[in-house]
Amino acid sequence: MKIEITKGKYKGVRGRVVGVYTDGRYDINIIKPKTAQPKQQPTQMVIKINNCREI
């Protein structure tokens, strides 16, 4: 499943879900990082389910 982050610092980042936690979080691999970002963005993240949407 692919998701897009809708809230927070990494808004607009897209990723593929690789794991689901029982407390309501997704473990994702980044597919499309945010553009024009000065620092290196992580390639994996853990994001709350209510901060993202399915694409």
Side-chain angles (χ1 to χ4, degrees):
M1 174 170 64
K2 293 181 183 177
I3 61 167
E4 182 176 6
I5 300 173
T6 58
K7 295 180 185 176
K9 180 179 176 182
Y10 294 107
K11 182 178 179 180
V13 172
R14 293 182 181 175
R16 183 181 309 270
V17 175
V18 293
V20 179
Y21 294 97
T22 57
D23 59 352
R25 295 178 297 158
Y26 287 142
D27 192 9
I28 65 170
N29 284 337
I30 302 300
I31 298 170
K32 182 184 172 212
K34 263 168 66 170
T35 56
Q37 191 161 5
K39 290 193 285 185
Q40 180 68 24
Q41 187 169 338
T43 56
Q44 289 187 327
M45 296 176 70
V46 175
I47 187 76
K48 289 183 181 177
I49 290 174
N50 60 354
N51 290 347
C52 58
R53 66 180 175 92
E54 189 175 347
I55 54 171

